[in-house]
Amino acid sequence: MSIFTILISTVFVNNFVLARFLGICPFLGVSNKIETATGMSIAVTFVVTLSSIITYIIQKLVLNNGLEYLQTIVFILVIAALVQFVEMVIKKTSPTLYNALGVYLPLITTNCVVLGVAILNIQEGFNLIQTIFNAVGASVGFGIALILISGIREQLEVADVPEALEGFPIALITAGLMSIAFLGFNGLV
């Protein structure tokens, strides 16, 4: 599989949020403002990419020696350590973003996108370069979906929405319509 195919596939065709439905909690929880969504996208990109590299190396050097059954536990420990590092860095460099992300920043540890990408890299049999590009593509796809819904939700705040649909209901409808729109990329690769 070529690197270009991996990138296009993970960003558009098999978008982890809109096609695989992983990472819905931060997708809906942090998508009220574009600034917050952008910060979360950068944090997730860092964690997904670095955790994919580290878990790939651990899988090849340690777990493939008869310890495959420990894969999920080891991967979660790696992800948790990386999230703690990202949380400390954001807290020091941007307290405003740290406060805006709130509880969703530590929840990157349990974000299915992070673990899903790490496990799928192994299941697909990707080499290290393919793993890196798959992780970057998945992160970019997550970021695009998050920033798109944030922009739409900011516009919906000032739009004339029926009272029964205000807030979370219209966000769910919007997410569903975005998912349908991304189905248009099927067959691209």
Side-chain angles (χ1 to χ4, degrees), residues 46-109:
F46 178 78
V47 171
V48 167
T49 304
L50 203 52
S51 68
S52 291
I53 293 167
I54 293 170
T55 56
Y56 176 85
I57 293 168
I58 290 172
Q59 180 74 35
K60 295 300 178 190
L61 296 179
V62 178
L63 297 179
N64 280 351
N65 296 321
L67 300 172
E68 290 87 1
Y69 61 93
L70 294 173
Q71 182 185 59
T72 304
I73 295 169
V74 170
F75 286 12
I76 289 172
L77 290 173
V78 167
I79 292 165
L82 286 171
V83 169
Q84 288 301 310
F85 175 72
V86 168
E87 188 174 2
M88 290 186 306
V89 169
I90 291 176
K91 189 174 185 178
K92 291 286 185 192
T93 59
S94 180
T96 307
L97 178 60
Y98 178 79
N99 291 331
L101 291 174
V103 70
Y104 293 100
L105 188 57
L107 284 178
I108 293 174
T109 302

Side-chain angles (χ1 to χ4, degrees), residues 17 27 32 36 50-52 72 75 92 100 104 106 123-124 133 142 149 154 169 173 184:
V17 177
F27 175 69
N32 291 328
T36 309
L50 203 52
S51 68
S52 291
T72 304
F75 286 12
K92 291 286 185 192
Y104 293 100
Q123 288 179 348
E124 294 291 328
F133 279 96
F142 177 82
I149 197 166
E154 282 185 1
I173 292 169

Side-chain angles (χ1 to χ4, degrees), residues 31-49:
S31 61
N32 291 328
K33 302 262 183 252
I34 290 179
E35 296 82 26
T36 309
T38 304
M40 177 61 99
S41 298
I42 293 168
V44 167
T45 299
F46 178 78
V47 171
V48 167
T49 304

Side-chain angles (χ1 to χ4, degrees), residues 92-163:
K92 291 286 185 192
T93 59
S94 180
T96 307
L97 178 60
Y98 178 79
N99 291 331
L101 291 174
V103 70
Y104 293 100
L105 188 57
L107 284 178
I108 293 174
T109 302
T110 59
N111 187 343
C112 336
V113 170
V114 183
L115 183 59
V117 171
I119 290 174
L120 284 171
N121 287 333
I122 303 303
Q123 288 179 348
E124 294 291 328
F126 289 151
N127 62 35
L128 184 59
I129 301 300
Q130 291 171 325
T131 293
I132 293 168
F133 279 96
N134 189 54
V136 169
S139 303
V140 168
F142 177 82
I144 287 172
L146 192 59
I147 291 168
L148 283 174
I149 197 166
S150 296
I152 294 169
R153 287 182 76 180
E154 282 185 1
Q155 293 298 313
L156 286 172
E157 284 181 17
V158 296
D160 188 24
V161 177
E163 188 177 333

